[in-house]
Amino acid sequence: MCIRDSIYRLGDKNRNIYGGDKDQLIANSGSDFTITLPASPSAGATVIVKNVGAGTVTIARNGSNIEGSAQDGTLESTKGMQVVYVGSTPGWKEL
């Protein structure tokens, strides 16, 4: 199995994640912005986000559940998360 690693350092722009097997994002912004999860993730896809800026980062679910719920997530300053896509009903599960 090939695992693609992508590390993105984000400034003040909203960002879509396009579905690599393993994406790592470092959010550094003084204002709020949104990171959108992949629209058609594969089981086992992993996303890691760390908010090192002052703004709140919204994690947009893009049609898939997060923790079994049809709601977007948020990361306050200094918070981080790692999620893995499990399947259509549970969606993204936090590790």
Side-chain angles (χ1 to χ4, degrees), residues 6-74:
S6 302
I7 299 177
Y8 301 101
R9 289 169 182 81
L10 307 177
D12 293 328
K13 296 184 177 181
N14 294 335
R15 173 72 68 161
N16 292 328
I17 302 171
Y18 292 104
D21 294 329
K22 185 176 181 183
D23 288 303
Q24 302 173 48
L25 299 100
I26 301 168
N28 185 10
S29 176
S31 55
D32 298 349
F33 71 101
T34 300
I35 295 172
T36 303
L37 293 171
S40 300
S42 299
T46 301
V47 175
I48 302 168
V49 180
K50 174 68 175 175
N51 184 1
V52 297
T56 298
V57 176
T58 297
I59 309 299
R61 63 189 191 86
N62 205 6
S64 296
N65 289 336
I66 298 176
E67 291 292 335
S69 177
Q71 295 182 357
D72 294 336
T74 57

